[in-house]
Amino acid sequence: MSKLTVTGGKPLEGTITVSGAKNAVLPIIAASLLCKEPIRLDDAPDLLDVNVMNRVISALGATVERKGSTLTIQAREIDCIEAPYDLVSQMRASIVTMGPLLARKGHVRISHPGGCAIGSRPINWHLKGLEALGAEVKMDHGFLDVRAKGLKGARIYLDYPSVGATENIMMAASMAQGTTLIENAAQEPEIVDLATFINEMGGKVRGAGTSIIYIEGVSEFHGTTHTVIPDRIEAGSYLLLAAATGGDVLVQNVIADHLKPLIAKMEEAGVRMAEEEDGIRVSGDGVYHAVDIKTQVHPGFPTDLQAPFMAFLTRAKGTGLITETVFENRFMHVDELKRMGADIKIEGRSAIVQGIQRLNAAPVTATDLRAGAALILAALTSEGVTSIRGVHHIDRGYEMVEEKLSRIGANIIREEESAS
């Protein structure tokens, strides 16, 4: 087991580069199953979740090779239609293999997925969309058994703009006969990147990034090279960290349009930010005031930045209110922040954060991916040495986190602990 040991209290200076987006590359890897020809993905981050997804599609018959940040995927033959339970149980995103497998093979078996325990994320929206395309869904000894003799385009309205459901339906519909219309579709940048990838393979997807997506089915795809978009959540985490610690940090490989809600709130808090040709610069002395946020589906404030933003508010001047509307169990990091002296009160789905001058170092544990980012931010702004356990959660979404932060002056090291 690994832990991060962080010594806080030092302003950060330098340049930090954001990796490719985890939440974009995972469905794109799954979408590679649609194509028999080789696929090359550049800026593919080397993360635990990405490695699990690579193992999932390898178990289905694809071959995957990594050289640096480039993945080469070949899915000429799909030998298996059942995603392995031990892999699916590790990562919820594996559910997006349903759409491409159904389109390619007409049959898929998959167990209910795992992932961070941040709240209920039902897959009924996925199944409703696939059924509308002509699939038949049955439960079989804990597995979803989904079959379709032939997918046909349909008009599908999502009761909730689920990212995963939008992705699954888009991939399945990309090879369906006729045209599919998804209404109330998710609008996240990762949806746009998936649509771009499908179109680069010869697909016909229009409207991605809006609430209405049109997909005209094609009979086959061709190989392509695709560059994954930057990870907006990683970028946002580093922007918040730079602001909280003070100093002068340039965050490179970031698309500012993907972070409008965060940038607006940071500027409202008094953080000095400047968009430059090669990134976004954050500078200052770590002094800022509290603001309120409310998480929403895109283009609202992203729930994945709620935990880092809460850590940011723990040292703001005044009182900030955080309202979580997306996941009902996404305040598990609160108790860990309070161990470090944070003044936080929970009332229903809201957290009241009273800023204090400085946090105190303490042993803490990351309970999920974004909670891990929050604890790193808190540790870097605290007095003393903090040890963070549960690092495997952080490794799911932040590539080489200690190396990147060390380059801008953070005192952070990874240590191995004995199992005893």
Side-chain angles (χ1 to χ4, degrees):
M1 299 291 287
S2 299
K3 71 174 181 179
L4 293 176
T5 300
V6 184
T7 303
K10 180 181 178 182
L12 304 181
E13 293 186 352
T15 299
I16 191 167
T17 303
V18 174
S19 299
K22 174 183 84 82
N23 290 337
V25 76
L26 295 177
I28 288 173
I29 291 172
S32 298
L33 295 173
L34 293 165
C35 183
K36 296 181 180 181
E37 297 181 4
I39 298 296
R40 172 175 164 162
L41 302 179
D42 292 329
D43 282 359
D46 191 0
L47 301 167
L48 282 182
D49 276 11
V50 176
N51 294 333
V52 170
M53 183 62 87
N54 288 340
R55 291 169 62 195
V56 169
I57 68 167
S58 295
L60 297 171
T63 61
V64 184
E65 294 182 2
R66 175 182 286 279
K67 290 185 178 180
S69 62
T70 296
L71 292 178
T72 302
I73 301 172
Q74 172 77 66
R76 182 175 298 279
E77 299 294 336
I78 301 298
D79 304 321
C80 179
I81 50 82
E82 183 175 309
Y85 170 78
D86 62 322
L87 298 178
V88 174
S89 62
Q90 294 179 39
M91 184 184 64
R92 180 173 183 83
S94 54
I95 196 72
V96 296
T97 57
M98 282 202 306
L101 274 178
L102 192 63
R104 179 85 180 266
K105 303 293 289 185
H107 186 195
V108 58
R109 281 172 54 85
I110 191 167
S111 65
H112 284 277
C116 287
I118 56 176
S120 174
R121 291 182 283 181
I123 63 171
N124 58 300
W125 300 307
H126 301 244
L127 303 179
K128 174 184 173 182
L130 297 178
E131 287 175 328
L133 295 172
E136 181 181 350
V137 180
K138 292 182 179 179
M139 281 296 298
D140 180 23
H141 296 89
F143 279 78
L144 290 165
D145 190 281
V146 187
R147 301 171 185 256
K149 293 182 179 179
L151 297 175
K152 293 185 178 180
R155 183 169 183 166
I156 301 167
Y157 179 84
L158 292 176
D159 296 326
Y160 179 86
S162 161
V163 172
T166 301
E167 291 166 342
N168 249 331
I169 296 166
M170 195 189 324
M171 287 185 279
S174 67
M175 295 189 75
Q177 182 181 351
T179 301
T180 297
L181 171 65
I182 307 176
E183 297 180 286
N184 197 31
Q187 302 177 47
E188 275 76 358
E190 295 79 14
I191 297 290
V192 178
D193 205 32
L194 175 61
T196 300
F197 173 68
I198 292 173
N199 289 343
E200 289 169 347
M201 292 193 299
K204 298 180 180 180
V205 181
R206 295 183 293 115
T210 75
S211 62
I212 301 178
I213 300 177
Y214 301 85
I215 307 106
E216 184 179 342
V218 300
S219 59
E220 62 181 5
F221 292 100
H222 57 74
T224 191
T225 296
H226 176 79
T227 301
V228 180
I229 60 172
D231 195 310
R232 62 192 172 104
I233 306 303
E234 182 189 11
S237 300
Y238 293 151
L239 290 172
L240 287 166
L241 189 150
T245 57
D248 189 336
V249 176
L250 176 66
V251 181
Q252 288 186 319
N253 194 34
V254 54
I255 300 175
D257 281 350
H258 293 176
L259 288 166
K260 285 182 179 179
L262 174 68
I263 291 172
K265 282 297 178 180
M266 290 180 68
E267 289 179 338
E268 182 183 339
V271 176
R272 293 203 299 271
M273 309 179 72
E275 188 174 346
E276 301 183 0
E277 184 177 348
D278 52 353
I280 299 176
R281 183 175 298 278
V282 178
S283 58
D285 54 7
V287 177
Y288 47 91
H289 56 263
V291 295
D292 300 337
I293 65 165
K294 181 178 182 180
T295 65
Q296 296 174 319
V297 296
H298 194 80
F301 194 97
T303 182
D304 281 349
L305 285 174
Q306 179 256 106
F309 200 89
M310 183 182 292
F312 169 78
L313 285 183
T314 59
R315 293 187 56 252
K317 291 186 175 181
T319 304
L321 178 68
I322 294 177
T323 303
E324 174 62 56
T325 72
V326 180
F327 293 123
E328 72 276 8
N329 196 29
R330 206 159 202 177
F331 284 151
M332 293 189 293
H333 48 279
V334 169
D335 285 343
E336 300 304 300
L337 291 174
K338 289 172 73 171
R339 285 173 59 84
M340 301 179 72
D343 185 350
I344 306 170
K345 295 181 177 64
I346 302 296
E347 293 186 1
R349 299 189 74 158
S350 294
I352 303 167
V353 186
Q354 175 65 54
I356 60 176
Q357 186 172 2
R358 189 168 294 278
L359 299 173
N360 298 312
V364 291
T365 301
T367 53
D368 61 72
L369 169 56
R370 307 308 173 185
L375 294 177
I376 291 175
L377 188 156
L380 286 171
T381 61
S382 69
E383 292 281 5
V385 180
T386 296
S387 63
I388 304 174
R389 291 176 171 82
V391 178
H392 62 283
H393 288 299
I394 300 170
D395 291 339
R396 290 183 51 227
Y398 293 88
E399 185 179 37
M400 301 185 301
V401 65
E402 66 271 24
E403 289 94 334
K404 288 186 178 183
L405 293 176
S406 294
R407 291 187 197 123
I408 58 173
N411 190 336
I412 176 171
I413 60 174
R414 181 181 296 249
E415 299 178 318
E416 296 300 322
E417 294 185 297
S418 61
S420 58

